[in-house]
Amino acid sequence: MVTAIVMIKTVVDRIPEIAQEVSALESVSEAYSVTGEWNLIAIVRVKAHEELAEVIPGRLNKIPGVVRTETHIAFRAYSSHDLEAAFSIGLE
């Protein structure tokens, strides 16, 4: 699994709409609005490195209102979270 952290600069008046579109992309596991230089950060997870080209410049960068992106590819994970277990709390 390849994980990429994508910082996204957007037009300010469309941040919520762009965030929704980014989070709807199949390989985006999480999207956050953030403070600072960037407006959004997306976590992209794909099976193979080559798939990043399809997701980031191929789809994410083409969302209207996305001005600029900067992508960081993760080398190693130092923590892990069981997201499935976290979301299933109370569902028995």
Side-chain angles (χ1 to χ4, degrees):
M1 181 71 63
V2 178
T3 300
I5 298 92
V6 184
M7 274 78 89
I8 306 165
K9 175 74 89 176
T10 68
V11 294
V12 177
D13 62 341
R14 291 206 61 242
I15 293 172
E17 294 85 2
I18 295 167
Q20 289 296 320
E21 291 183 56
V22 168
S23 66
L25 294 175
E26 183 178 328
S27 299
V28 173
S29 64
E30 302 156 66
Y32 301 94
S33 60
V34 295
T35 61
E37 178 183 351
W38 302 95
N39 304 108
L40 301 170
I41 293 179
I43 307 300
V44 175
R45 292 191 170 92
V46 293
K47 290 181 183 176
H49 186 272
E50 295 78 20
E51 293 176 64
L52 291 174
E54 297 171 22
V55 176
I56 300 166
R59 287 184 248 150
L60 194 150
N61 283 355
K62 293 181 179 178
I63 294 172
V66 170
V67 176
R68 181 174 153 238
T69 61
E70 182 174 297
T71 302
H72 298 263
I73 298 172
F75 291 131
R76 183 176 299 145
Y78 289 97
S79 66
S80 61
H81 301 279
D82 190 348
L83 294 176
E84 185 176 328
F87 285 113
S88 65
I89 292 174
L91 300 176
E92 294 180 23

PDB file of all heavy atoms in Angstrom, residues 23-39:
ATOM      1  N   SER A  23     -12.896  14.277  -0.969  1.00  0.00           N
ATOM      2  CA  SER A  23     -13.164  13.112  -0.119  1.00  0.00           C
ATOM      3  C   SER A  23     -13.971  12.040  -0.836  1.00  0.00           C
ATOM      4  O   SER A  23     -13.947  10.875  -0.435  1.00  0.00           O
ATOM      5  CB  SER A  23     -13.856  13.538   1.175  1.00  0.00           C
ATOM      6  OG  SER A  23     -15.131  14.054   0.915  1.00  0.00           O
ATOM      7  N   ALA A  24     -14.664  12.398  -1.898  1.00  0.00           N
ATOM      8  CA  ALA A  24     -15.447  11.425  -2.668  1.00  0.00           C
ATOM      9  C   ALA A  24     -14.587  10.616  -3.641  1.00  0.00           C
ATOM     10  O   ALA A  24     -15.047   9.596  -4.162  1.00  0.00           O
ATOM     11  CB  ALA A  24     -16.559  12.139  -3.436  1.00  0.00           C
ATOM     12  N   LEU A  25     -13.352  11.038  -3.877  1.00  0.00           N
ATOM     13  CA  LEU A  25     -12.477  10.280  -4.772  1.00  0.00           C
ATOM     14  C   LEU A  25     -12.182   8.917  -4.156  1.00  0.00           C
ATOM     15  O   LEU A  25     -11.929   8.802  -2.954  1.00  0.00           O
ATOM     16  CB  LEU A  25     -11.174  11.039  -5.033  1.00  0.00           C
ATOM     17  CG  LEU A  25     -11.304  12.349  -5.809  1.00  0.00           C
ATOM     18  CD1 LEU A  25      -9.957  13.058  -5.876  1.00  0.00           C
ATOM     19  CD2 LEU A  25     -11.845  12.096  -7.214  1.00  0.00           C
ATOM     20  N   GLU A  26     -12.198   7.904  -4.976  1.00  0.00           N
ATOM     21  CA  GLU A  26     -12.094   6.524  -4.504  1.00  0.00           C
ATOM     22  C   GLU A  26     -10.866   6.250  -3.635  1.00  0.00           C
ATOM     23  O   GLU A  26     -10.960   5.551  -2.636  1.00  0.00           O
ATOM     24  CB  GLU A  26     -12.081   5.576  -5.709  1.00  0.00           C
ATOM     25  CG  GLU A  26     -12.057   4.122  -5.333  1.00  0.00           C
ATOM     26  CD  GLU A  26     -12.093   3.231  -6.555  1.00  0.00           C
ATOM     27  OE1 GLU A  26     -12.697   3.609  -7.562  1.00  0.00           O
ATOM     28  OE2 GLU A  26     -11.503   2.139  -6.474  1.00  0.00           O
ATOM     29  N   SER A  27      -9.729   6.786  -3.955  1.00  0.00           N
ATOM     30  CA  SER A  27      -8.498   6.482  -3.223  1.00  0.00           C
ATOM     31  C   SER A  27      -8.214   7.420  -2.061  1.00  0.00           C
ATOM     32  O   SER A  27      -7.210   7.263  -1.378  1.00  0.00           O
ATOM     33  CB  SER A  27      -7.315   6.496  -4.190  1.00  0.00           C
ATOM     34  OG  SER A  27      -7.505   5.504  -5.178  1.00  0.00           O
ATOM     35  N   VAL A  28      -9.080   8.397  -1.842  1.00  0.00           N
ATOM     36  CA  VAL A  28      -8.884   9.324  -0.724  1.00  0.00           C
ATOM     37  C   VAL A  28      -9.535   8.713   0.511  1.00  0.00           C
ATOM     38  O   VAL A  28     -10.745   8.515   0.556  1.00  0.00           O
ATOM     39  CB  VAL A  28      -9.474  10.715  -1.036  1.00  0.00           C
ATOM     40  CG1 VAL A  28      -9.415  11.621   0.187  1.00  0.00           C
ATOM     41  CG2 VAL A  28      -8.732  11.352  -2.214  1.00  0.00           C
ATOM     42  N   SER A  29      -8.708   8.408   1.514  1.00  0.00           N
ATOM     43  CA  SER A  29      -9.248   7.808   2.732  1.00  0.00           C
ATOM     44  C   SER A  29      -9.706   8.865   3.724  1.00  0.00           C
ATOM     45  O   SER A  29     -10.607   8.620   4.518  1.00  0.00           O
ATOM     46  CB  SER A  29      -8.229   6.877   3.384  1.00  0.00           C
ATOM     47  OG  SER A  29      -7.100   7.595   3.804  1.00  0.00           O
ATOM     48  N   GLU A  30      -9.081  10.042   3.697  1.00  0.00           N
ATOM     49  CA  GLU A  30      -9.422  11.117   4.621  1.00  0.00           C
ATOM     50  C   GLU A  30      -9.140  12.454   3.956  1.00  0.00           C
ATOM     51  O   GLU A  30      -8.229  12.561   3.141  1.00  0.00           O
ATOM     52  CB  GLU A  30      -8.572  11.027   5.891  1.00  0.00           C
ATOM     53  CG  GLU A  30      -8.703   9.722   6.640  1.00  0.00           C
ATOM     54  CD  GLU A  30      -7.494   9.450   7.499  1.00  0.00           C
ATOM     55  OE1 GLU A  30      -7.287  10.220   8.459  1.00  0.00           O
ATOM     56  OE2 GLU A  30      -6.771   8.495   7.192  1.00  0.00           O
ATOM     57  N   ALA A  31      -9.915  13.466   4.326  1.00  0.00           N
ATOM     58  CA  ALA A  31      -9.664  14.836   3.873  1.00  0.00           C
ATOM     59  C   ALA A  31      -9.960  15.768   5.042  1.00  0.00           C
ATOM     60  O   ALA A  31     -10.953  15.589   5.746  1.00  0.00           O
ATOM     61  CB  ALA A  31     -10.541  15.182   2.669  1.00  0.00           C
ATOM     62  N   TYR A  32      -9.079  16.726   5.252  1.00  0.00           N
ATOM     63  CA  TYR A  32      -9.194  17.649   6.382  1.00  0.00           C
ATOM     64  C   TYR A  32      -9.079  19.087   5.903  1.00  0.00           C
ATOM     65  O   TYR A  32      -8.249  19.385   5.043  1.00  0.00           O
ATOM     66  CB  TYR A  32      -8.055  17.418   7.385  1.00  0.00           C
ATOM     67  CG  TYR A  32      -7.990  16.035   7.945  1.00  0.00           C
ATOM     68  CD1 TYR A  32      -7.168  15.062   7.374  1.00  0.00           C
ATOM     69  CD2 TYR A  32      -8.746  15.685   9.058  1.00  0.00           C
ATOM     70  CE1 TYR A  32      -7.102  13.780   7.895  1.00  0.00           C
ATOM     71  CE2 TYR A  32      -8.686  14.400   9.586  1.00  0.00           C
ATOM     72  CZ  TYR A  32      -7.865  13.460   9.002  1.00  0.00           C
ATOM     73  OH  TYR A  32      -7.805  12.192   9.530  1.00  0.00           O
ATOM     74  N   SER A  33      -9.871  19.977   6.485  1.00  0.00           N
ATOM     75  CA  SER A  33      -9.614  21.404   6.309  1.00  0.00           C
ATOM     76  C   SER A  33      -8.626  21.773   7.408  1.00  0.00           C
ATOM     77  O   SER A  33      -8.705  21.249   8.524  1.00  0.00           O
ATOM     78  CB  SER A  33     -10.898  22.221   6.414  1.00  0.00           C
ATOM     79  OG  SER A  33     -11.496  22.044   7.671  1.00  0.00           O
ATOM     80  N   VAL A  34      -7.658  22.631   7.074  1.00  0.00           N
ATOM     81  CA  VAL A  34      -6.581  22.940   8.012  1.00  0.00           C
ATOM     82  C   VAL A  34      -6.267  24.436   8.003  1.00  0.00           C
ATOM     83  O   VAL A  34      -6.672  25.161   7.093  1.00  0.00           O
ATOM     84  CB  VAL A  34      -5.292  22.145   7.669  1.00  0.00           C
ATOM     85  CG1 VAL A  34      -5.504  20.655   7.853  1.00  0.00           C
ATOM     86  CG2 VAL A  34      -4.822  22.446   6.258  1.00  0.00           C
ATOM     87  N   THR A  35      -5.543  24.856   9.026  1.00  0.00           N
ATOM     88  CA  THR A  35      -5.073  26.232   9.079  1.00  0.00           C
ATOM     89  C   THR A  35      -3.702  26.304   8.423  1.00  0.00           C
ATOM     90  O   THR A  35      -3.064  25.287   8.190  1.00  0.00           O
ATOM     91  CB  THR A  35      -4.949  26.725  10.539  1.00  0.00           C
ATOM     92  OG1 THR A  35      -3.995  25.897  11.209  1.00  0.00           O
ATOM     93  CG2 THR A  35      -6.286  26.668  11.256  1.00  0.00           C
ATOM     94  N   GLY A  36      -3.275  27.515   8.137  1.00  0.00           N
ATOM     95  CA  GLY A  36      -1.939  27.705   7.575  1.00  0.00           C
ATOM     96  C   GLY A  36      -1.974  27.962   6.091  1.00  0.00           C
ATOM     97  O   GLY A  36      -2.984  28.389   5.527  1.00  0.00           O
ATOM     98  N   GLU A  37      -0.862  27.687   5.441  1.00  0.00           N
ATOM     99  CA  GLU A  37      -0.690  27.976   4.014  1.00  0.00           C
ATOM    100  C   GLU A  37      -1.637  27.176   3.128  1.00  0.00           C
ATOM    101  O   GLU A  37      -2.069  27.644   2.080  1.00  0.00           O
ATOM    102  CB  GLU A  37       0.759  27.683   3.620  1.00  0.00           C
ATOM    103  CG  GLU A  37       1.047  27.897   2.155  1.00  0.00           C
ATOM    104  CD  GLU A  37       2.474  27.539   1.770  1.00  0.00           C
ATOM    105  OE1 GLU A  37       3.311  27.285   2.655  1.00  0.00           O
ATOM    106  OE2 GLU A  37       2.735  27.502   0.559  1.00  0.00           O
ATOM    107  N   TRP A  38      -1.957  25.962   3.526  1.00  0.00           N
ATOM    108  CA  TRP A  38      -2.806  25.076   2.735  1.00  0.00           C
ATOM    109  C   TRP A  38      -4.223  25.104   3.281  1.00  0.00           C
ATOM    110  O   TRP A  38      -4.439  25.329   4.460  1.00  0.00           O
ATOM    111  CB  TRP A  38      -2.243  23.651   2.762  1.00  0.00           C
ATOM    112  CG  TRP A  38      -0.843  23.615   2.252  1.00  0.00           C
ATOM    113  CD1 TRP A  38       0.302  23.667   2.997  1.00  0.00           C
ATOM    114  CD2 TRP A  38      -0.426  23.595   0.895  1.00  0.00           C
ATOM    115  NE1 TRP A  38       1.400  23.652   2.177  1.00  0.00           N
ATOM    116  CE2 TRP A  38       0.980  23.612   0.873  1.00  0.00           C
ATOM    117  CE3 TRP A  38      -1.101  23.548  -0.319  1.00  0.00           C
ATOM    118  CZ2 TRP A  38       1.722  23.586  -0.304  1.00  0.00           C
ATOM    119  CZ3 TRP A  38      -0.366  23.520  -1.496  1.00  0.00           C
ATOM    120  CH2 TRP A  38       1.016  23.545  -1.479  1.00  0.00           C
ATOM    121  N   ASN A  39      -5.197  24.848   2.411  1.00  0.00           N
ATOM    122  CA  ASN A  39      -6.599  24.840   2.828  1.00  0.00           C
ATOM    123  C   ASN A  39      -7.099  23.455   3.210  1.00  0.00           C
ATOM    124  O   ASN A  39      -7.935  23.315   4.090  1.00  0.00           O
ATOM    125  CB  ASN A  39      -7.489  25.400   1.712  1.00  0.00           C
ATOM    126  CG  ASN A  39      -7.063  26.779   1.291  1.00  0.00           C
ATOM    127  OD1 ASN A  39      -6.520  26.942   0.214  1.00  0.00           O
ATOM    128  ND2 ASN A  39      -7.270  27.772   2.144  1.00  0.00           N
TER     129      ASN A  39
END
